[in-house]
Amino acid sequence: MQLFMLYKAVKTIVEMAPIDALTSNSKNTIAEEKLLKMRIEHQSFTLQIDLNGNSDKRYPVKVLDCDTISQVKQKCCEQIYKNNPSSKIPHNDELSLEWQEGRAGKLTLNDIDNTSERNNGMVCLNTLKHYMVKDNSRMALMYKQRDSHNVNVNSIAFQDESLASEDITLLVPENVECSELEGQKWHLSNLPDGRSNKDLDFGDIFLNRLFLTKLLLSECIDTTFENLIDPQSSSIPIRYFIGMLDKLGKNFGVDQDVLQSWKNECYATRVWAPLIGKPDILFDVSVPAYVKPCMDILRQVFVESFTQTAHKINKESPSQKLLFHKDIPRYRKLIGPFSSAWNQ
């Protein structure tokens, strides 16, 4: 349960600030490589969402004016289906977002349309700010209509007809590389004409922003780690696993310090590290690309807390060591009583 709350806390904190929809770089993160290194002016406000045009019940959804339409739809789904597992939540492609208070009445919002900003062959993904959406605007999250007859006809035809590679024509010019196609869109970064370079943050500002995000998460991280190294919370399979290591150590005459290292590192790296780094192994959740690097750093911190090597930092140390250089020694002090409980 604590691990799930840690994942939700990381996801919530990251989504409180701008996230580039294409690169998954975010302003709130503890992963330096996924830090959005730009000054992004943004405002947060609340939308009133109807599900499928049902005005009897409206869901308040907090969004940012720099969110793309797909990001808004995702936040709407998470609020409306917050008690449902990820496998039961509709995908963005199955939904459309309809602004019910547009200048010309109802307006369906899209990431790209004929109003999108274009520059040098590149197109900018539409945001709420682009559509000039205001606070407390009413919107409807609509299920897209499907033509079941056409779906059946197409599926039957596909099964009956065998296609050879020479029969398939790609809707892409032959002289265009895949990397160029991906570069035809931009959201918050990778702006055309190098405009993104004007608002870059430099120097210690990077580290300060990482520290700020870590500070917001510190209480939840501490609670989760303390729970994972609490002897009273160890499950029966884990106790059996530790007992098996004790038996092997006794049979082969393994030194107690070596045996203790086995227990510590196996418990951290084999049991909990995969679950911390990939919570979707244990829970029915869809981990976004901007959350995965943060969870991976927490996985590394947890594993390092169980190691015996000295924790030293210098100017060339990775950013995660700088972020947690005061926390890892504190976690290691909790490992002692935890390991002693195994030996009883």
Side-chain angles (χ1 to χ4, degrees):
M1 183 61 180
Q2 289 294 339
L3 180 56
F4 179 76
M5 297 304 296
L6 175 62
Y7 160 73
K8 293 296 289 186
V10 172
K11 187 172 183 295
T12 300
I13 294 299
V14 174
E15 291 178 349
M16 287 172 56
I19 302 171
D20 191 289
L22 299 176
T23 64
S24 296
N25 292 347
S26 54
K27 189 173 182 180
N28 284 358
T29 184
I30 57 175
E32 183 178 5
E33 69 275 10
K34 300 303 292 183
L35 180 63
L36 185 60
K37 300 175 181 178
M38 295 180 61
R39 296 186 182 95
I40 305 295
E41 295 184 2
H42 65 281
Q43 294 181 348
S44 62
F45 52 81
T46 302
L47 299 178
Q48 302 298 329
I49 304 297
D50 300 339
L51 180 59
N52 232 22
N54 180 14
S55 58
D56 294 338
K57 185 174 183 180
R58 297 177 185 171
Y59 299 87
V61 179
K62 293 184 178 180
V63 295
L64 303 177
D65 62 351
C66 60
D67 285 342
T68 65
I69 306 307
S70 292
Q71 289 176 326
V72 174
K73 288 193 289 186
Q74 186 64 36
K75 290 182 178 181
C76 291
C77 285
E78 290 173 357
Q79 176 64 23
I80 296 173
Y81 301 98
K82 60 183 178 182
N83 295 325
N84 292 24
S86 177
S87 57
K88 300 296 183 181
I89 298 178
H91 192 269
N92 278 352
D93 295 339
E94 302 173 5
L95 302 166
S96 61
L97 188 64
E98 187 179 89
W99 187 13
Q100 299 181 329
E101 299 174 339
R103 293 183 176 181
K106 295 182 179 180
L107 176 65
T108 300
L109 309 185
N110 296 289
D111 283 334
I112 298 177
D113 56 23
N114 57 358
T115 69
S116 302
E117 179 185 353
R118 288 171 169 81
N119 191 323
N120 291 338
M122 298 180 65
V123 58
C124 180
L125 299 182
N126 295 335
T127 63
L128 295 179
K129 186 176 183 179
H130 169 79
Y131 286 109
M132 294 184 288
V133 177
K134 304 300 181 183
D135 189 23
N136 279 320
S137 294
R138 286 183 51 205
M139 293 196 179
L141 196 64
M142 309 291 291
Y143 289 101
K144 292 182 179 179
Q145 298 294 329
R146 291 187 177 183
D147 191 337
S148 58
H149 174 72
N150 290 339
V151 172
N152 293 334
V153 170
N154 291 337
S155 61
I156 294 173
F158 183 79
Q159 292 174 359
D160 293 342
E161 184 176 356
S162 176
L163 296 178
S165 59
E166 58 269 16
D167 297 327
I168 301 174
T169 303
L170 297 178
L171 300 179
V172 178
E174 294 182 357
N175 58 347
V176 178
E177 299 292 337
C178 292
S179 59
E180 293 178 353
L181 287 175
E182 294 176 357
Q184 289 182 350
K185 302 176 185 177
W186 89 86
H187 178 207
L188 300 177
S189 57
N190 298 327
L191 277 66
D193 299 331
R195 284 186 287 160
S196 59
N197 295 330
K198 297 180 181 179
D199 296 324
L200 281 175
D201 290 335
F202 293 100
D204 295 336
I205 297 179
F206 286 169
L207 194 58
N208 290 341
R209 285 165 59 179
L210 298 176
F211 268 112
L212 176 60
T213 306
K214 185 256 180 180
L215 182 63
L216 295 173
L217 292 169
S218 58
E219 182 177 353
C220 192
I221 295 173
D222 290 346
T223 302
T224 302
F225 283 12
E226 289 170 4
N227 181 264
L228 295 182
I229 55 181
D230 180 7
Q232 303 301 323
S233 64
S234 298
S235 62
I236 294 177
I238 291 177
R239 292 180 180 274
Y240 176 83
F241 174 71
I242 299 301
M244 181 185 67
L245 291 179
D246 278 329
K247 184 177 180 180
L248 290 173
K250 183 178 180 180
N251 291 342
F252 291 94
V254 178
D255 183 78
Q256 283 298 318
D257 291 338
V258 175
L259 180 59
Q260 192 61 53
S261 296
W262 283 6
K263 295 178 183 179
N264 289 348
E265 296 190 21
C266 286
Y267 179 78
T269 59
R270 301 296 182 183
V271 178
W272 285 112
L275 301 180
I276 295 175
K278 296 182 178 180
D280 50 333
I281 295 176
L282 188 60
F283 308 110
D284 189 353
V285 295
S286 179
V287 183
Y290 48 82
V291 174
K292 290 180 181 179
C294 297
M295 300 304 296
D296 187 64
I297 286 178
L298 296 179
R299 174 191 64 82
Q300 296 176 38
V301 171
F302 185 76
V303 170
E304 189 169 353
S305 299
F306 279 81
T307 60
Q308 304 298 322
T309 56
H311 182 68
K312 297 181 180 180
I313 60 172
N314 53 49
K315 62 180 181 180
E316 297 180 355
S317 299
S319 58
Q320 62 262 30
K321 285 199 172 185
L322 297 175
L323 288 176
F324 292 92
H325 77 282
K326 291 184 178 180
D327 301 281
I328 290 179
R330 180 164 52 86
Y331 296 146
R332 286 180 175 175
K333 290 181 180 179
L334 300 175
I335 304 299
F338 182 57
S339 302
S340 300
W342 283 343
N343 298 326
Q344 293 177 357

